[in-house]
Amino acid sequence: MIAKLISILCILYSVSSDESPKISVKPQRLMQKVGQQAEFFCVLQSGSLPLQFEWLKNEKSIQTTNKIEIDNSKKSSTLILQSVSMSDAGNYTCRTSNSFGFDQSTSHLVVEGPPQWLSKPIDMQVGPKEHFNIKCEGIGYPLPSVSWKKFTDSTWQDLLESSSHFTKLSSTEVSGHQLVKEKDEGKYGCEISNGINPNLWTEFTIRVSGKIGFLMRFWLLSSSKKF
């Protein structure tokens, strides 16, 4: 009788333990500064052993490197990122499976650091009636802002306040139109900042073409009429 009871209990235990995994990743959201270490823990809450673990970043499988360490045990897995950079920001998913199914859980890593360049202006030459756009863009967290400058009277002045020939299109782009050679030609700059040093700064030159050519053609036409 006792042997039969033990056999029934073993069967019930076997049935109850045959289940797909349920896991959680901790923390669900992690904010680290550039250069710090980031750790994620994938913990089994319920489910049958054995388990297989896999880590993914933005849905792409992660492999161990000199910078990335993955430590698996029977019921958990740990992902360690050494000295994080801005490019490490994203979604990190722990996926685990057994003979009865799979489960996954995701955490979001935010990396706080100074801005980095995405796009910077270059020297340009424009016509006096030409419409053109200039982009100055960076990434970083907190989200960086852009300020535009023009070198006038030996100082850097706010471009959008000092010139009516430039209009803000977006947080990273301005539009120029109908530039005057004597007033608008010269040195410009843009600065990207988010409160974490160092800021980004670049300078570029805008030259306005066309006016000298127009005067020259006018003088040639006038001279030809005299003869």
Side-chain angles (χ1 to χ4, degrees), residues 38-68:
E39 296 185 10
F40 301 97
F41 308 96
C42 182
V43 182
L44 177 68
Q45 296 179 331
S46 63
S48 302
L49 299 178
L51 296 174
Q52 290 78 46
F53 290 97
E54 180 185 17
W55 285 94
L56 305 97
K57 179 193 175 186
N58 298 333
E59 300 301 322
K60 294 183 178 180
S61 182
I62 299 174
Q63 306 299 323
T64 57
T65 64
N66 293 335
K67 179 179 177 178
I68 301 174

Side-chain angles (χ1 to χ4, degrees), residues 61-166:
S61 182
I62 299 174
Q63 306 299 323
T64 57
T65 64
N66 293 335
K67 179 179 177 178
I68 301 174
E69 179 182 344
I70 299 176
D71 184 17
N72 295 330
S73 67
K74 288 184 178 180
K75 296 184 178 181
S76 66
S77 181
T78 304
L79 172 66
I80 302 174
L81 306 178
Q82 304 287 350
S83 186
V84 296
S85 61
M86 297 302 299
S87 62
D88 291 316
N91 292 319
Y92 288 82
T93 300
C94 176
R95 180 179 295 165
T96 186
S97 60
N98 59 16
S99 301
F100 308 99
F102 74 94
D103 190 25
Q104 64 182 37
S105 184
T106 299
S107 179
H108 183 65
L109 174 63
V110 178
V111 180
E112 191 176 39
Q116 298 178 4
W117 284 112
L118 281 181
S119 175
K120 63 173 68 175
I122 60 175
D123 294 345
M124 61 181 65
Q125 183 167 318
V126 300
K129 294 185 178 181
E130 183 178 348
H131 283 68
F132 58 93
N133 299 339
I134 314 172
K135 178 171 283 190
C136 183
E137 187 176 12
I139 59 171
Y141 188 90
L143 186 67
S145 60
V146 179
S147 59
W148 298 88
K149 307 287 185 179
K150 185 179 187 300
F151 195 71
T152 305
D153 297 330
S154 301
T155 61
W156 287 102
Q157 299 181 11
D158 186 281
L159 174 63
L160 299 178
E161 292 182 359
S162 61
S163 175
S164 60
H165 295 158
F166 289 87

Side-chain angles (χ1 to χ4, degrees), residues 170-184:
S170 68
S171 59
T172 62
E173 194 169 13
V174 296
S175 172
H177 52 90
Q178 297 182 328
L179 267 58
V180 178
K181 184 178 181 64
E182 289 80 3
K183 181 179 179 181
D184 297 311

Side-chain angles (χ1 to χ4, degrees), residues 2-63:
I2 294 177
K4 186 176 181 179
L5 180 59
I6 293 175
S7 177
I8 293 173
L9 289 174
C10 289
I11 293 173
L12 290 174
Y13 177 79
S14 176
V15 172
S16 63
S17 63
D18 292 348
E19 58 181 359
S20 61
K22 298 295 180 184
I23 60 168
S24 66
V25 166
K26 299 178 181 180
Q28 293 296 319
R29 186 176 186 273
L30 180 63
M31 181 180 294
Q32 297 292 82
K33 295 182 182 297
V34 168
Q36 291 184 332
Q37 177 176 289
E39 296 185 10
F40 301 97
F41 308 96
C42 182
V43 182
L44 177 68
Q45 296 179 331
S46 63
S48 302
L49 299 178
L51 296 174
Q52 290 78 46
F53 290 97
E54 180 185 17
W55 285 94
L56 305 97
K57 179 193 175 186
N58 298 333
E59 300 301 322
K60 294 183 178 180
S61 182
I62 299 174
Q63 306 299 323

